[in-house]
Amino acid sequence: FHSEQENIICYRSMKEIAQELAPHGFVRCHSGCLVNLAYVKAARKLEITLITGETLAISQPKRKEFMEHLTEYWGDML
């Protein structure tokens, strides 16, 4: 895990972690990456930009589902 305060090593599967964190706004954007939607600033094609300025890749297979979750999250913010 990468957070503002620290990096944490975890030995659980991504599937387990994704299921546990989904209710808290985390969505997989890539096979090896979960993103907190509250930190997404922009999404373009196969890339997202975080509010920290970092960019992350969105895999083609995960793109549709990720964008649906992001759209729903941003819609709820309005």
Side-chain angles (χ1 to χ4, degrees):
F1 297 98
H2 173 74
S3 73
E4 292 178 350
Q5 292 81 25
E6 63 184 323
N7 290 329
I8 302 166
I9 297 173
C10 177
Y11 295 101
R12 294 172 56 197
S13 73
M14 282 296 288
K15 184 176 181 177
E16 284 180 306
I17 298 296
Q19 289 173 344
E20 188 173 321
L21 294 178
H24 304 286
F26 286 81
V27 179
R28 284 177 95 163
C29 66
H30 202 273
S31 62
C33 188
L34 286 167
V35 176
N36 184 335
L37 297 177
Y39 283 79
V40 177
K41 180 180 179 180
R44 292 181 193 88
K45 296 185 183 180
L46 295 177
E47 184 176 89
I48 57 174
T49 304
L50 303 179
I51 60 173
T52 61
E54 297 170 273
T55 58
L56 299 171
I58 303 172
S59 69
Q60 187 65 42
K62 301 276 186 212
R63 185 179 190 282
K64 181 180 178 185
E65 182 180 355
F66 180 83
M67 294 305 288
E68 287 171 354
H69 285 283
L70 184 61
T71 302
E72 182 179 327
Y73 176 81
W74 282 348
D76 289 344
M77 301 281 293
L78 298 175

